[in-house]
Amino acid sequence: DFNEITFWQYITNSNYLKPRLAITLLLVGQQFSGINSIIFYGVKIVSQLMSQYAILINFGISITNVVITFLSGMIIDKSGRKPLLIISTIIMSIMSLIISISILNNLTQWLIIGLFGYIIAFAIGLGPIPFLIIGELSSVETISQAQSYGTVCNWIATFIIGFGFPIVNKIIGGYTYMIFSILTIILMFCIRQYIPETKGTRNSNEVWQN
């Protein structure tokens, strides 16, 4: 038996600091990687270089995201969460840089490579794992509140990117993706430092003892 805690207890109790930090990093970092700048504004980005194919390419990006996310479920348990998160963020950072250079230099083919490479990298790690790992990082009495907290973090970050991207993009254009590239590589170092591997563990006590 266990007594489920309140949301306020979860966000204020220092006993839950480590899982709270890990969840914050992953759920905010997921959005600050720039994923929704592509999901929300992909047509506009592609239209800058090839307006006639913008909707088609954006449709392809959406389908790719769904298919690769589905397939990634087959490898997450085999390869572990942390390695996939690290690989995912490194590739996303590189692809963000390619997207930035492509926009700044009107490199159509490289833009397509960058966009699809970015989406594939997101879908194998930083897309599905953050929400999956919340329950694995949390003790039984905190799971529901941890999931609520993670969702709140994610939606606040989504709002910031969704609202802020068009403003920043209007000012600095393609350089915006250099910022996303830097933020994503910072996230990678944070994952290495603060996110434990949960593969093969039976509960959160084992996770945080490793």
Side-chain angles (χ1 to χ4, degrees), residues 145-165:
Q145 301 301 345
Q147 289 170 335
S148 298
Y149 175 76
T151 302
V152 169
C153 288
N154 196 251
W155 276 105
I156 290 172
T158 300
F159 173 79
I160 292 169
I161 296 301
F163 181 77
F165 173 76

Side-chain angles (χ1 to χ4, degrees), residues 35 39 60-70 119-120 122-123 127:
I35 180 61
I39 301 298
I61 286 170
S62 299
I63 294 298
T64 301
N65 192 16
V66 172
V67 171
I68 301 299
T69 300
F70 175 76
I119 288 296
I120 291 168
F122 177 81

Side-chain angles (χ1 to χ4, degrees), residues 2-18:
F2 63 91
N3 294 316
E4 189 173 305
I5 64 167
T6 65
F7 187 76
W8 179 250
Q9 287 173 320
Y10 179 75
I11 63 173
T12 56
N13 194 321
S14 60
N15 290 333
Y16 311 127
L17 180 61
K18 284 185 177 180

Side-chain angles (χ1 to χ4, degrees), residues 168-185:
V168 176
N169 190 54
K170 190 173 181 180
I171 298 168
I172 63 173
Y175 290 105
T176 309
Y177 283 92
M178 287 192 183
I179 296 174
F180 287 139
S181 179
I182 293 166
L183 290 174
T184 309
I185 210 69

Side-chain angles (χ1 to χ4, degrees), residues 98-112:
I98 290 172
I99 292 168
S100 177
I101 293 167
S102 301
I103 293 170
L104 293 170
N105 295 281
N106 295 321
L107 303 173
T108 305
Q109 291 179 331
W110 280 102
L111 177 60
I112 296 172

Side-chain angles (χ1 to χ4, degrees), residues 12-196:
T12 56
N13 194 321
S14 60
N15 290 333
Y16 311 127
L17 180 61
K18 284 185 177 180
R20 208 164 57 228
L21 173 62
I23 291 165
T24 305
L25 281 171
L26 288 175
L27 275 298
V28 172
Q30 183 196 68
Q31 295 305 313
F32 275 60
S33 69
I35 180 61
N36 275 325
S37 70
I38 293 172
I39 301 298
F40 294 165
Y41 305 105
V43 172
K44 189 174 181 180
I45 294 166
V46 177
S47 292
Q48 295 174 37
L49 299 189
M50 41 188 161
S51 56
Q52 69 270 38
Y53 299 115
I55 294 175
L56 184 63
I57 290 171
N58 209 53
F59 177 74
I61 286 170
S62 299
I63 294 298
T64 301
N65 192 16
V66 172
V67 171
I68 301 299
T69 300
F70 175 76
L71 294 175
S72 72
M74 301 176 187
I75 62 171
I76 287 173
D77 282 328
K78 291 181 180 179
S79 50
R81 283 71 163 144
K82 193 167 181 174
L84 277 180
L85 284 168
I86 290 172
I87 291 166
S88 175
T89 47
I90 289 172
I91 297 173
M92 286 170 68
S93 181
I94 293 168
M95 293 301 153
S96 290
L97 197 58
I98 290 172
I99 292 168
S100 177
I101 293 167
S102 301
I103 293 170
L104 293 170
N105 295 281
N106 295 321
L107 303 173
T108 305
Q109 291 179 331
W110 280 102
L111 177 60
I112 296 172
I113 291 169
L115 288 170
F116 277 91
Y118 179 98
I119 288 296
I120 291 168
F122 177 81
I124 64 167
L126 196 56
I129 291 175
F131 283 103
L132 167 69
I133 207 173
I134 289 175
E136 298 172 339
L137 294 171
S138 307
S139 54
V140 176
E141 76 277 7
T142 67
I143 286 177
S144 62
Q145 301 301 345
Q147 289 170 335
S148 298
Y149 175 76
T151 302
V152 169
C153 288
N154 196 251
W155 276 105
I156 290 172
T158 300
F159 173 79
I160 292 169
I161 296 301
F163 181 77
F165 173 76
I167 298 170
V168 176
N169 190 54
K170 190 173 181 180
I171 298 168
I172 63 173
Y175 290 105
T176 309
Y177 283 92
M178 287 192 183
I179 296 174
F180 287 139
S181 179
I182 293 166
L183 290 174
T184 309
I185 210 69
I186 290 171
L187 175 62
M188 185 274 292
F189 284 111
C190 289
I191 288 169
R192 287 185 61 186
Q193 183 70 29
Y194 298 110
I195 309 299

